[in-house]
Amino acid sequence: GNNITTVSWPACGEMDIMELLGQEPQTVHATVHFATPGGPRNISKSITKTGGTFSDVFHVYSLVWEEDRMRFYVDDQLINDISRSNITP
């Protein structure tokens, strides 16, 4: 967020539309990072390929961001659906 210099991370928020970790080349994560009064939190879901890795072929990663909801997709398959109520402390 634009307020990272005043509130720091993760209070400023972060959305990972697609996160591929080197040690898990067959798994893609879709994550929202945020802060609550109890400390940092994240909501993450992933999809894992059976056979091969995500770098083997082209994929489409997308986020549909609505006023009260974010939906994360890989190749038109929903992998994470987060509503405002999920992140409200």
Side-chain angles (χ1 to χ4, degrees):
N2 290 337
N3 60 348
I4 191 169
T5 57
T6 57
V7 300
S8 191
W9 182 92
C12 65
E14 177 185 342
M15 295 178 290
D16 295 314
I17 297 170
M18 183 282 260
E19 185 169 29
L20 181 70
L21 306 173
Q23 69 272 20
E24 299 177 312
Q26 72 286 356
T27 302
V28 166
H29 306 272
T31 307
V32 172
H33 301 271
F34 56 99
T36 67
R41 281 206 49 219
N42 70 66
I43 299 172
S44 186
K45 300 259 176 93
S46 59
I47 184 170
T48 300
K49 289 180 61 77
T50 54
T53 68
F54 274 92
S55 63
D56 291 338
V57 297
F58 183 81
H59 297 279
V60 176
Y61 304 95
S62 55
L63 167 66
V64 176
W65 188 355
E66 299 170 351
E67 183 177 346
D68 291 328
R69 169 171 258 112
M70 292 177 282
R71 291 183 179 96
F72 298 77
Y73 295 86
V74 176
D75 298 329
D76 294 324
Q77 178 183 347
L78 179 66
I79 64 167
N80 205 350
D81 184 356
I82 302 170
S83 69
R84 182 180 299 270
S85 63
N86 296 127
I87 61 173
T88 302

PDB file of all heavy atoms in Angstrom, residues 15-45:
ATOM      1  N   MET A  15      -1.019  -8.349  -1.739  1.00  0.00           N
ATOM      2  CA  MET A  15      -1.748  -9.396  -2.449  1.00  0.00           C
ATOM      3  C   MET A  15      -0.776 -10.090  -3.391  1.00  0.00           C
ATOM      4  O   MET A  15      -0.153  -9.428  -4.221  1.00  0.00           O
ATOM      5  CB  MET A  15      -2.899  -8.817  -3.274  1.00  0.00           C
ATOM      6  CG  MET A  15      -3.976  -8.194  -2.450  1.00  0.00           C
ATOM      7  SD  MET A  15      -5.272  -7.475  -3.470  1.00  0.00           S
ATOM      8  CE  MET A  15      -4.422  -6.080  -4.189  1.00  0.00           C
ATOM      9  N   ASP A  16      -0.623 -11.375  -3.244  1.00  0.00           N
ATOM     10  CA  ASP A  16       0.186 -12.171  -4.161  1.00  0.00           C
ATOM     11  C   ASP A  16      -0.769 -12.892  -5.103  1.00  0.00           C
ATOM     12  O   ASP A  16      -1.383 -13.885  -4.731  1.00  0.00           O
ATOM     13  CB  ASP A  16       1.053 -13.187  -3.407  1.00  0.00           C
ATOM     14  CG  ASP A  16       2.086 -12.526  -2.521  1.00  0.00           C
ATOM     15  OD1 ASP A  16       2.739 -11.588  -2.999  1.00  0.00           O
ATOM     16  OD2 ASP A  16       2.239 -12.942  -1.368  1.00  0.00           O
ATOM     17  N   ILE A  17      -0.911 -12.370  -6.313  1.00  0.00           N
ATOM     18  CA  ILE A  17      -1.789 -12.999  -7.296  1.00  0.00           C
ATOM     19  C   ILE A  17      -1.224 -14.359  -7.676  1.00  0.00           C
ATOM     20  O   ILE A  17      -1.940 -15.331  -7.842  1.00  0.00           O
ATOM     21  CB  ILE A  17      -1.947 -12.095  -8.534  1.00  0.00           C
ATOM     22  CG1 ILE A  17      -2.623 -10.795  -8.123  1.00  0.00           C
ATOM     23  CG2 ILE A  17      -2.750 -12.806  -9.623  1.00  0.00           C
ATOM     24  CD1 ILE A  17      -2.617  -9.741  -9.197  1.00  0.00           C
ATOM     25  N   MET A  18       0.091 -14.417  -7.787  1.00  0.00           N
ATOM     26  CA  MET A  18       0.771 -15.676  -8.081  1.00  0.00           C
ATOM     27  C   MET A  18       2.122 -15.649  -7.394  1.00  0.00           C
ATOM     28  O   MET A  18       2.903 -14.742  -7.613  1.00  0.00           O
ATOM     29  CB  MET A  18       0.965 -15.842  -9.581  1.00  0.00           C
ATOM     30  CG  MET A  18       1.616 -17.166  -9.971  1.00  0.00           C
ATOM     31  SD  MET A  18       3.387 -17.265  -9.727  1.00  0.00           S
ATOM     32  CE  MET A  18       3.983 -16.989 -11.344  1.00  0.00           C
ATOM     33  N   GLU A  19       2.349 -16.607  -6.535  1.00  0.00           N
ATOM     34  CA  GLU A  19       3.652 -16.724  -5.885  1.00  0.00           C
ATOM     35  C   GLU A  19       4.144 -18.152  -6.099  1.00  0.00           C
ATOM     36  O   GLU A  19       3.489 -19.108  -5.703  1.00  0.00           O
ATOM     37  CB  GLU A  19       3.536 -16.403  -4.396  1.00  0.00           C
ATOM     38  CG  GLU A  19       4.872 -16.387  -3.696  1.00  0.00           C
ATOM     39  CD  GLU A  19       4.797 -15.824  -2.296  1.00  0.00           C
ATOM     40  OE1 GLU A  19       3.732 -15.938  -1.654  1.00  0.00           O
ATOM     41  OE2 GLU A  19       5.808 -15.280  -1.841  1.00  0.00           O
ATOM     42  N   LEU A  20       5.286 -18.254  -6.744  1.00  0.00           N
ATOM     43  CA  LEU A  20       5.903 -19.546  -7.024  1.00  0.00           C
ATOM     44  C   LEU A  20       7.225 -19.589  -6.269  1.00  0.00           C
ATOM     45  O   LEU A  20       8.107 -18.776  -6.513  1.00  0.00           O
ATOM     46  CB  LEU A  20       6.146 -19.714  -8.527  1.00  0.00           C
ATOM     47  CG  LEU A  20       6.769 -21.031  -8.958  1.00  0.00           C
ATOM     48  CD1 LEU A  20       5.778 -22.166  -8.780  1.00  0.00           C
ATOM     49  CD2 LEU A  20       7.200 -20.944 -10.415  1.00  0.00           C
ATOM     50  N   LEU A  21       7.351 -20.507  -5.335  1.00  0.00           N
ATOM     51  CA  LEU A  21       8.561 -20.644  -4.534  1.00  0.00           C
ATOM     52  C   LEU A  21       9.495 -21.650  -5.198  1.00  0.00           C
ATOM     53  O   LEU A  21       9.029 -22.699  -5.660  1.00  0.00           O
ATOM     54  CB  LEU A  21       8.206 -21.088  -3.118  1.00  0.00           C
ATOM     55  CG  LEU A  21       7.179 -20.209  -2.388  1.00  0.00           C
ATOM     56  CD1 LEU A  21       6.790 -20.840  -1.060  1.00  0.00           C
ATOM     57  CD2 LEU A  21       7.715 -18.814  -2.196  1.00  0.00           C
ATOM     58  N   GLY A  22      10.762 -21.335  -5.242  1.00  0.00           N
ATOM     59  CA  GLY A  22      11.731 -22.178  -5.933  1.00  0.00           C
ATOM     60  C   GLY A  22      11.753 -23.622  -5.461  1.00  0.00           C
ATOM     61  O   GLY A  22      11.947 -24.539  -6.262  1.00  0.00           O
ATOM     62  N   GLN A  23      11.520 -23.850  -4.174  1.00  0.00           N
ATOM     63  CA  GLN A  23      11.554 -25.214  -3.644  1.00  0.00           C
ATOM     64  C   GLN A  23      10.261 -25.974  -3.903  1.00  0.00           C
ATOM     65  O   GLN A  23      10.168 -27.154  -3.598  1.00  0.00           O
ATOM     66  CB  GLN A  23      11.903 -25.216  -2.145  1.00  0.00           C
ATOM     67  CG  GLN A  23      10.835 -24.654  -1.239  1.00  0.00           C
ATOM     68  CD  GLN A  23      10.935 -23.149  -1.028  1.00  0.00           C
ATOM     69  OE1 GLN A  23      11.542 -22.432  -1.803  1.00  0.00           O
ATOM     70  NE2 GLN A  23      10.334 -22.660   0.037  1.00  0.00           N
ATOM     71  N   GLU A  24       9.233 -25.292  -4.479  1.00  0.00           N
ATOM     72  CA  GLU A  24       7.948 -25.922  -4.786  1.00  0.00           C
ATOM     73  C   GLU A  24       7.518 -25.571  -6.217  1.00  0.00           C
ATOM     74  O   GLU A  24       6.494 -24.914  -6.412  1.00  0.00           O
ATOM     75  CB  GLU A  24       6.851 -25.430  -3.836  1.00  0.00           C
ATOM     76  CG  GLU A  24       7.074 -25.706  -2.380  1.00  0.00           C
ATOM     77  CD  GLU A  24       5.968 -25.102  -1.526  1.00  0.00           C
ATOM     78  OE1 GLU A  24       5.624 -23.923  -1.705  1.00  0.00           O
ATOM     79  OE2 GLU A  24       5.442 -25.848  -0.682  1.00  0.00           O
ATOM     80  N   PRO A  25       8.256 -25.972  -7.231  1.00  0.00           N
ATOM     81  CA  PRO A  25       7.937 -25.544  -8.602  1.00  0.00           C
ATOM     82  C   PRO A  25       6.622 -26.101  -9.149  1.00  0.00           C
ATOM     83  O   PRO A  25       6.133 -25.629 -10.158  1.00  0.00           O
ATOM     84  CB  PRO A  25       9.122 -26.052  -9.417  1.00  0.00           C
ATOM     85  CG  PRO A  25       9.655 -27.205  -8.628  1.00  0.00           C
ATOM     86  CD  PRO A  25       9.421 -26.856  -7.183  1.00  0.00           C
ATOM     87  N   GLN A  26       6.033 -27.037  -8.452  1.00  0.00           N
ATOM     88  CA  GLN A  26       4.763 -27.609  -8.886  1.00  0.00           C
ATOM     89  C   GLN A  26       3.568 -26.963  -8.182  1.00  0.00           C
ATOM     90  O   GLN A  26       2.432 -27.328  -8.441  1.00  0.00           O
ATOM     91  CB  GLN A  26       4.758 -29.131  -8.659  1.00  0.00           C
ATOM     92  CG  GLN A  26       4.663 -29.571  -7.216  1.00  0.00           C
ATOM     93  CD  GLN A  26       5.926 -29.397  -6.378  1.00  0.00           C
ATOM     94  OE1 GLN A  26       6.986 -28.993  -6.860  1.00  0.00           O
ATOM     95  NE2 GLN A  26       5.814 -29.685  -5.098  1.00  0.00           N
ATOM     96  N   THR A  27       3.824 -25.969  -7.305  1.00  0.00           N
ATOM     97  CA  THR A  27       2.763 -25.349  -6.511  1.00  0.00           C
ATOM     98  C   THR A  27       2.766 -23.835  -6.688  1.00  0.00           C
ATOM     99  O   THR A  27       3.818 -23.205  -6.640  1.00  0.00           O
ATOM    100  CB  THR A  27       2.939 -25.685  -5.013  1.00  0.00           C
ATOM    101  OG1 THR A  27       2.930 -27.112  -4.868  1.00  0.00           O
ATOM    102  CG2 THR A  27       1.833 -25.090  -4.169  1.00  0.00           C
ATOM    103  N   VAL A  28       1.574 -23.273  -6.869  1.00  0.00           N
ATOM    104  CA  VAL A  28       1.393 -21.828  -6.961  1.00  0.00           C
ATOM    105  C   VAL A  28       0.480 -21.400  -5.820  1.00  0.00           C
ATOM    106  O   VAL A  28      -0.529 -22.054  -5.535  1.00  0.00           O
ATOM    107  CB  VAL A  28       0.776 -21.424  -8.318  1.00  0.00           C
ATOM    108  CG1 VAL A  28       0.284 -19.999  -8.304  1.00  0.00           C
ATOM    109  CG2 VAL A  28       1.785 -21.612  -9.425  1.00  0.00           C
ATOM    110  N   HIS A  29       0.843 -20.300  -5.154  1.00  0.00           N
ATOM    111  CA  HIS A  29       0.085 -19.777  -4.020  1.00  0.00           C
ATOM    112  C   HIS A  29      -0.593 -18.460  -4.401  1.00  0.00           C
ATOM    113  O   HIS A  29      -0.014 -17.662  -5.142  1.00  0.00           O
ATOM    114  CB  HIS A  29       1.003 -19.519  -2.823  1.00  0.00           C
ATOM    115  CG  HIS A  29       1.819 -20.708  -2.423  1.00  0.00           C
ATOM    116  ND1 HIS A  29       1.356 -21.652  -1.540  1.00  0.00           N
ATOM    117  CD2 HIS A  29       3.054 -21.103  -2.801  1.00  0.00           C
ATOM    118  CE1 HIS A  29       2.283 -22.582  -1.384  1.00  0.00           C
ATOM    119  NE2 HIS A  29       3.324 -22.274  -2.141  1.00  0.00           N
ATOM    120  N   ALA A  30      -1.784 -18.217  -3.861  1.00  0.00           N
ATOM    121  CA  ALA A  30      -2.484 -16.942  -3.966  1.00  0.00           C
ATOM    122  C   ALA A  30      -2.761 -16.493  -2.537  1.00  0.00           C
ATOM    123  O   ALA A  30      -3.472 -17.182  -1.794  1.00  0.00           O
ATOM    124  CB  ALA A  30      -3.781 -17.097  -4.747  1.00  0.00           C
ATOM    125  N   THR A  31      -2.187 -15.335  -2.150  1.00  0.00           N
ATOM    126  CA  THR A  31      -2.167 -14.960  -0.738  1.00  0.00           C
ATOM    127  C   THR A  31      -2.484 -13.484  -0.541  1.00  0.00           C
ATOM    128  O   THR A  31      -2.079 -12.646  -1.336  1.00  0.00           O
ATOM    129  CB  THR A  31      -0.775 -15.243  -0.139  1.00  0.00           C
ATOM    130  OG1 THR A  31      -0.416 -16.600  -0.410  1.00  0.00           O
ATOM    131  CG2 THR A  31      -0.747 -15.008   1.364  1.00  0.00           C
ATOM    132  N   VAL A  32      -3.175 -13.186   0.560  1.00  0.00           N
ATOM    133  CA  VAL A  32      -3.367 -11.818   1.021  1.00  0.00           C
ATOM    134  C   VAL A  32      -2.708 -11.721   2.387  1.00  0.00           C
ATOM    135  O   VAL A  32      -2.971 -12.545   3.280  1.00  0.00           O
ATOM    136  CB  VAL A  32      -4.871 -11.456   1.108  1.00  0.00           C
ATOM    137  CG1 VAL A  32      -5.058 -10.105   1.765  1.00  0.00           C
ATOM    138  CG2 VAL A  32      -5.498 -11.477  -0.263  1.00  0.00           C
ATOM    139  N   HIS A  33      -1.814 -10.731   2.557  1.00  0.00           N
ATOM    140  CA  HIS A  33      -1.136 -10.470   3.831  1.00  0.00           C
ATOM    141  C   HIS A  33      -1.733  -9.194   4.430  1.00  0.00           C
ATOM    142  O   HIS A  33      -1.961  -8.220   3.713  1.00  0.00           O
ATOM    143  CB  HIS A  33       0.360 -10.248   3.621  1.00  0.00           C
ATOM    144  CG  HIS A  33       1.060 -11.389   2.975  1.00  0.00           C
ATOM    145  ND1 HIS A  33       1.617 -12.424   3.692  1.00  0.00           N
ATOM    146  CD2 HIS A  33       1.317 -11.655   1.668  1.00  0.00           C
ATOM    147  CE1 HIS A  33       2.186 -13.269   2.849  1.00  0.00           C
ATOM    148  NE2 HIS A  33       2.014 -12.829   1.614  1.00  0.00           N
ATOM    149  N   PHE A  34      -1.941  -9.201   5.746  1.00  0.00           N
ATOM    150  CA  PHE A  34      -2.498  -8.031   6.422  1.00  0.00           C
ATOM    151  C   PHE A  34      -2.181  -8.121   7.906  1.00  0.00           C
ATOM    152  O   PHE A  34      -1.619  -9.108   8.374  1.00  0.00           O
ATOM    153  CB  PHE A  34      -4.008  -7.923   6.177  1.00  0.00           C
ATOM    154  CG  PHE A  34      -4.791  -9.145   6.587  1.00  0.00           C
ATOM    155  CD1 PHE A  34      -5.455  -9.192   7.795  1.00  0.00           C
ATOM    156  CD2 PHE A  34      -4.861 -10.257   5.747  1.00  0.00           C
ATOM    157  CE1 PHE A  34      -6.178 -10.322   8.171  1.00  0.00           C
ATOM    158  CE2 PHE A  34      -5.586 -11.388   6.104  1.00  0.00           C
ATOM    159  CZ  PHE A  34      -6.245 -11.416   7.320  1.00  0.00           C
ATOM    160  N   ALA A  35      -2.515  -7.067   8.638  1.00  0.00           N
ATOM    161  CA  ALA A  35      -2.269  -7.044  10.081  1.00  0.00           C
ATOM    162  C   ALA A  35      -3.593  -6.955  10.817  1.00  0.00           C
ATOM    163  O   ALA A  35      -4.566  -6.386  10.323  1.00  0.00           O
ATOM    164  CB  ALA A  35      -1.390  -5.861  10.445  1.00  0.00           C
ATOM    165  N   THR A  36      -3.615  -7.549  11.996  1.00  0.00           N
ATOM    166  CA  THR A  36      -4.763  -7.453  12.897  1.00  0.00           C
ATOM    167  C   THR A  36      -4.233  -6.973  14.240  1.00  0.00           C
ATOM    168  O   THR A  36      -3.017  -6.959  14.459  1.00  0.00           O
ATOM    169  CB  THR A  36      -5.453  -8.823  13.078  1.00  0.00           C
ATOM    170  OG1 THR A  36      -4.558  -9.695  13.777  1.00  0.00           O
ATOM    171  CG2 THR A  36      -5.852  -9.424  11.741  1.00  0.00           C
ATOM    172  N   PRO A  37      -5.105  -6.606  15.163  1.00  0.00           N
ATOM    173  CA  PRO A  37      -4.616  -6.223  16.493  1.00  0.00           C
ATOM    174  C   PRO A  37      -3.779  -7.327  17.148  1.00  0.00           C
ATOM    175  O   PRO A  37      -2.906  -7.059  17.953  1.00  0.00           O
ATOM    176  CB  PRO A  37      -5.900  -5.949  17.282  1.00  0.00           C
ATOM    177  CG  PRO A  37      -6.886  -5.537  16.239  1.00  0.00           C
ATOM    178  CD  PRO A  37      -6.541  -6.377  15.031  1.00  0.00           C
ATOM    179  N   GLY A  38      -4.022  -8.588  16.753  1.00  0.00           N
ATOM    180  CA  GLY A  38      -3.275  -9.709  17.304  1.00  0.00           C
ATOM    181  C   GLY A  38      -1.950  -9.974  16.605  1.00  0.00           C
ATOM    182  O   GLY A  38      -1.191 -10.837  17.032  1.00  0.00           O
ATOM    183  N   GLY A  39      -1.678  -9.257  15.520  1.00  0.00           N
ATOM    184  CA  GLY A  39      -0.420  -9.448  14.805  1.00  0.00           C
ATOM    185  C   GLY A  39      -0.647  -9.736  13.332  1.00  0.00           C
ATOM    186  O   GLY A  39      -1.772  -9.703  12.832  1.00  0.00           O
ATOM    187  N   PRO A  40       0.441 -10.043  12.624  1.00  0.00           N
ATOM    188  CA  PRO A  40       0.347 -10.297  11.187  1.00  0.00           C
ATOM    189  C   PRO A  40      -0.465 -11.549  10.884  1.00  0.00           C
ATOM    190  O   PRO A  40      -0.454 -12.503  11.656  1.00  0.00           O
ATOM    191  CB  PRO A  40       1.799 -10.501  10.750  1.00  0.00           C
ATOM    192  CG  PRO A  40       2.644 -10.122  11.895  1.00  0.00           C
ATOM    193  CD  PRO A  40       1.804 -10.123  13.110  1.00  0.00           C
ATOM    194  N   ARG A  41      -1.169 -11.504   9.758  1.00  0.00           N
ATOM    195  CA  ARG A  41      -1.950 -12.660   9.298  1.00  0.00           C
ATOM    196  C   ARG A  41      -1.840 -12.773   7.795  1.00  0.00           C
ATOM    197  O   ARG A  41      -1.502 -11.806   7.117  1.00  0.00           O
ATOM    198  CB  ARG A  41      -3.437 -12.492   9.646  1.00  0.00           C
ATOM    199  CG  ARG A  41      -3.743 -12.807  11.077  1.00  0.00           C
ATOM    200  CD  ARG A  41      -5.175 -13.255  11.327  1.00  0.00           C
ATOM    201  NE  ARG A  41      -5.638 -14.287  10.424  1.00  0.00           N
ATOM    202  CZ  ARG A  41      -6.858 -14.326   9.919  1.00  0.00           C
ATOM    203  NH1 ARG A  41      -7.742 -13.404  10.202  1.00  0.00           N
ATOM    204  NH2 ARG A  41      -7.228 -15.305   9.116  1.00  0.00           N
ATOM    205  N   ASN A  42      -2.175 -13.935   7.305  1.00  0.00           N
ATOM    206  CA  ASN A  42      -2.320 -14.108   5.865  1.00  0.00           C
ATOM    207  C   ASN A  42      -3.381 -15.165   5.611  1.00  0.00           C
ATOM    208  O   ASN A  42      -3.643 -16.013   6.451  1.00  0.00           O
ATOM    209  CB  ASN A  42      -0.989 -14.450   5.187  1.00  0.00           C
ATOM    210  CG  ASN A  42      -0.502 -15.833   5.516  1.00  0.00           C
ATOM    211  OD1 ASN A  42      -1.130 -16.827   5.145  1.00  0.00           O
ATOM    212  ND2 ASN A  42       0.601 -15.930   6.223  1.00  0.00           N
ATOM    213  N   ILE A  43      -3.990 -15.041   4.445  1.00  0.00           N
ATOM    214  CA  ILE A  43      -4.925 -16.051   3.965  1.00  0.00           C
ATOM    215  C   ILE A  43      -4.350 -16.536   2.649  1.00  0.00           C
ATOM    216  O   ILE A  43      -4.194 -15.751   1.713  1.00  0.00           O
ATOM    217  CB  ILE A  43      -6.333 -15.486   3.771  1.00  0.00           C
ATOM    218  CG1 ILE A  43      -6.890 -14.963   5.099  1.00  0.00           C
ATOM    219  CG2 ILE A  43      -7.258 -16.545   3.178  1.00  0.00           C
ATOM    220  CD1 ILE A  43      -8.210 -14.221   4.967  1.00  0.00           C
ATOM    221  N   SER A  44      -3.991 -17.798   2.606  1.00  0.00           N
ATOM    222  CA  SER A  44      -3.315 -18.335   1.433  1.00  0.00           C
ATOM    223  C   SER A  44      -3.939 -19.659   1.016  1.00  0.00           C
ATOM    224  O   SER A  44      -4.283 -20.481   1.868  1.00  0.00           O
ATOM    225  CB  SER A  44      -1.830 -18.550   1.746  1.00  0.00           C
ATOM    226  OG  SER A  44      -1.130 -18.945   0.598  1.00  0.00           O
ATOM    227  N   LYS A  45      -4.094 -19.825  -0.268  1.00  0.00           N
ATOM    228  CA  LYS A  45      -4.523 -21.093  -0.836  1.00  0.00           C
ATOM    229  C   LYS A  45      -3.574 -21.394  -1.981  1.00  0.00           C
ATOM    230  O   LYS A  45      -2.959 -20.497  -2.557  1.00  0.00           O
ATOM    231  CB  LYS A  45      -5.956 -21.020  -1.353  1.00  0.00           C
ATOM    232  CG  LYS A  45      -6.980 -20.674  -0.291  1.00  0.00           C
ATOM    233  CD  LYS A  45      -7.716 -21.882   0.199  1.00  0.00           C
ATOM    234  CE  LYS A  45      -8.674 -21.570   1.316  1.00  0.00           C
ATOM    235  NZ  LYS A  45     -10.018 -21.278   0.919  1.00  0.00           N
TER     236      LYS A  45
END
